Amino acid sequence: MAFPLEFGLNTFGDLNHDANDRPESQAQTIRNVVEQGVHADAVGVDFFGIGEHHTDYFPMPAGDVALAAIAARTQRIHVGSSVIVLSSDDPVRVFQRYSTLNAISNGRVEVILGRGSSIESFPLFGYDLADYDELFEEKTALFAELLKGSPVTWQGETRAPLRDQNVVPHLESGPFPTWIGVGGNPQSVVRAARLGFSLALAIIGGPPSRFAPFSKLFLAALEKFGRAPLPVAMHAPGHVAPTDAQARAEFWPRWKDTIALISEERGFAIPTEESFDWEIGPRGALCVGSPESVAQKIATNLRVLGANRFDLKYGMPGLTHEQLMRNIELYGTQVIPRVRELLA
Amino acid sequence: MASTSSRLGILGAGHVGPVIARLALRAGWSVAIANSGDPADLELITQLVVPGAEPRWAADAARDADVVVLAIPLHRFLTMDTGPLAGKLVVDAMNYWPSSDGVLDVFDHDAAGSSEVVAQGLHDSTVVKTLNHIGYHELEELSRPAGSPDRRAVGVAADDERAADTVATLVDDLGFDVVRLGNLRSGQLLQPGGPVFGVAVRRAEFEARIEAWSAGSLVRSGSGDGA
């Protein structure tokens, strides 16, 4: 494998419940995320990412602030966005925030740009979703320019032009790793290659094997654009507990409730228990189960996709902080070593 | 297997287009695929993601097709050149989805379904609504040969009977049981917020959901077993 094998965790700041199934406050949930990030470092996880969301059940619009707290208490783990919704943000400000985080963390920042399923930021910040493609295209291109260092000269439609602009803080040792999160659109894969960003495949439903052609497309597109190979990551939701039965019992009711909320917002019929069981089974996308089951699934998928990095989106609104800490513990101490062994 | 109609022109190379293309190629259709730009930009994608399909300019893909599939974000439909679709049988696989299109005034009223609005914009074409309600990420996994006990159902809504027949053949070739809905207006049953959007179920449950919804008695419970 051309790039080292790496393992990350992602959260959306999923609102925690307490042991009596009462909601914790949003503030306590954010403090818990900081503890979870510190714990991830302690158990050997390579990357801790926070995905931008703006809802009561994902109260995490400013993940970089929480990441700064994690960075201040850790030495090794990489920290970053998973994802940040660049289209509804100012690329200059995003660069400044993560460049500041990169300074605090001594160069441990990675940024994943994308949309995720987070759309609440568009009306919140006055953007029109119908302009999504134009916004993303232009802003990712500007972000690529900012990563090259100052002075920056740029002109476009979506923000004021920059002419020989000094943008601080400067990067100490070159650009931090930047990825583009891609769902099922092959044109987004080609765009990532064209802009020279790594590819993060977000696989939240259906068989991960259907993404295998995307890795090949990414490498072929990099070659076409005269670029060297870049890493490929996959991201999938899940939950690790001591046994398959316990993981399922903890996760399913929270998954069902959350998907029901999102379904209501977007007009999906609510998924059936049958479809959930298929998704947590060997061919589905969700990594829910014992350390051994989850490790087998991750190893299989990394191999099929030719990916060198796996990020587990852990948690779901309603799970407790203790359940998430145990998930992180099992992921770091059992799942990761077992995947390494399976792929050795 | 495809017999009378066998040339598919797919407009859209995003999430949905390539998936429909692969299923159609497997069933023996010849497939041309286009996005809004130069087919040269689609060569790598077709080669690696849709091997066997031919990348073409949208106008050419539409002109030579027996069936044209619209698989683009709906807001793009509002600005596309619809000239090449004149006289064509057009499958509308799109959805009005404010969470990804933004609010589009022309689609944002209750009386008409989104495919009726599309049909008004394509008055020289014959519009059939289908393939919009199962997630693109599940279509290939759920495709089954005719007669399989776990084959899933796909709704087909059209005003033109012959067009509906042709598209029913396509849907069957792609690996799904066809449930015919009376007319294009009934296509609203297949839309976001409707009884079958986003869940892939077998024919019996599909028909039961439609019936319960039409009778006004379907409560969104999520308790369906999909069987």
Side-chain angles (χ1 to χ4, degrees), chain A residues 173-196:
Chain A
S173 47
F176 42 73
T178 303
W179 310 66
I180 292 189
V182 170
N185 190 334
Q187 296 167 127
S188 304
V189 174
V190 174
R191 172 163 56 196
R194 177 162 46 77
L195 293 166

Side-chain angles (χ1 to χ4, degrees), chain A residues 85-108:
Chain A
V85 189
L86 188 68
S87 295
S88 56
D89 212 326
D90 179 351
V92 175
R93 289 297 280 162
V94 173
F95 171 82
Q96 291 179 323
R97 278 155 27 213
Y98 283 89
S99 181
T100 301
L101 181 62
N102 203 43
I104 292 169
S105 65
N106 278 305
R108 287 185 279 141

Side-chain angles (χ1 to χ4, degrees), chain A residues 53-114:
Chain A
H53 285 273
H54 302 260
T55 65
D56 281 332
Y57 50 95
F58 298 142
M60 192 50 85
D64 46 312
V65 181
L67 291 168
I70 294 167
R73 291 174 54 191
T74 54
Q75 299 295 324
R76 195 195 53 82
I77 196 167
H78 285 204
V79 289
S81 62
S82 62
V83 301
I84 187 159
V85 189
L86 188 68
S87 295
S88 56
D89 212 326
D90 179 351
V92 175
R93 289 297 280 162
V94 173
F95 171 82
Q96 291 179 323
R97 278 155 27 213
Y98 283 89
S99 181
T100 301
L101 181 62
N102 203 43
I104 292 169
S105 65
N106 278 305
R108 287 185 279 141
V109 158
E110 299 188 25
V111 170
I112 309 177
L113 308 170

Side-chain angles (χ1 to χ4, degrees), chain A residues 15-308:
Chain A
L15 192 81
N16 292 143
H17 283 192
D18 66 18
N20 298 314
D21 205 15
R22 282 188 299 257
E24 303 251 30
S25 68
Q26 296 181 352
Q28 184 59 48
T29 295
I30 289 168
R31 287 189 288 272
N32 292 346
V33 164
V34 174
E35 294 305 320
Q36 290 155 22
V38 172
H39 194 46
D41 179 67
V43 297
V45 176
D46 298 309
F47 171 75
F48 191 81
I50 298 183
E52 174 185 346
H53 285 273
H54 302 260
T55 65
D56 281 332
Y57 50 95
F58 298 142
M60 192 50 85
D64 46 312
V65 181
L67 291 168
I70 294 167
R73 291 174 54 191
T74 54
Q75 299 295 324
R76 195 195 53 82
I77 196 167
H78 285 204
V79 289
S81 62
S82 62
V83 301
I84 187 159
V85 189
L86 188 68
S87 295
S88 56
D89 212 326
D90 179 351
V92 175
R93 289 297 280 162
V94 173
F95 171 82
Q96 291 179 323
R97 278 155 27 213
Y98 283 89
S99 181
T100 301
L101 181 62
N102 203 43
I104 292 169
S105 65
N106 278 305
R108 287 185 279 141
V109 158
E110 299 188 25
V111 170
I112 309 177
L113 308 170
R115 165 169 161 177
S117 54
S118 178
I119 44 156
E120 318 87 34
S121 64
F122 284 77
L124 180 60
F125 298 118
Y127 290 94
D128 187 344
L129 267 163
D131 299 332
Y132 179 79
D133 274 330
E134 292 75 9
L135 288 165
F136 192 70
E137 178 73 32
E138 201 171 288
K139 291 185 176 188
T140 46
L142 171 54
F143 199 75
E145 284 304 308
L146 289 157
L147 284 171
K148 291 175 188 166
S150 291
V152 181
T153 297
W154 177 90
Q155 193 170 347
E157 304 293 323
T158 57
R159 83 175 304 290
L162 304 171
R163 171 177 277 276
D164 291 330
Q165 180 68 49
N166 184 28
V167 180
V168 296
H170 296 162
L171 296 162
E172 275 177 314
S173 47
F176 42 73
T178 303
W179 310 66
I180 292 189
V182 170
N185 190 334
Q187 296 167 127
S188 304
V189 174
V190 174
R191 172 163 56 196
R194 177 162 46 77
L195 293 166
F197 293 130
S198 299
L199 180 68
L201 298 168
I203 307 181
I204 61 174
S209 56
R210 74 199 161 85
F211 281 83
F214 283 20
S215 311
K216 296 190 180 78
L217 175 63
F218 182 59
L219 292 178
L222 284 170
E223 195 178 330
K224 178 184 156 191
F225 296 120
R227 296 184 184 280
L230 287 166
V232 175
M234 76 165 283
H235 150 116
H239 183 63
V240 189
T243 65
D244 285 342
Q246 189 179 345
R248 186 191 186 285
E250 289 176 356
F251 193 76
W252 159 247
R254 309 307 180 177
W255 172 262
K256 186 181 68 171
D257 289 352
T258 304
I259 299 300
L261 272 176
I262 296 171
S263 296
E264 195 65 48
E265 288 166 10
R266 306 200 189 160
F268 286 104
I270 297 165
T272 60
E273 199 159 349
E274 181 197 29
S275 69
F276 175 76
D277 281 332
W278 187 88
E279 288 290 2
I280 67 172
R283 290 183 53 72
L286 302 179
C287 292
V288 175
S290 66
E292 178 65 20
S293 299
V294 169
Q296 291 285 353
K297 198 164 185 174
I298 293 170
T300 300
N301 288 336
L302 286 174
R303 207 181 279 128
V304 167
L305 296 177
N308 64 287

Side-chain angles (χ1 to χ4, degrees), chain A residues 133 187 266-269 283, chain B residues 35 76 97 141 193 197 220 224:
Chain A
D133 274 330
Q187 296 167 127
R266 306 200 189 160
F268 286 104
R283 290 183 53 72
Chain B
N35 63 11
R76 300 255 177 218
W97 216 9
E141 181 69 19
F197 188 81
R220 287 168 59 95

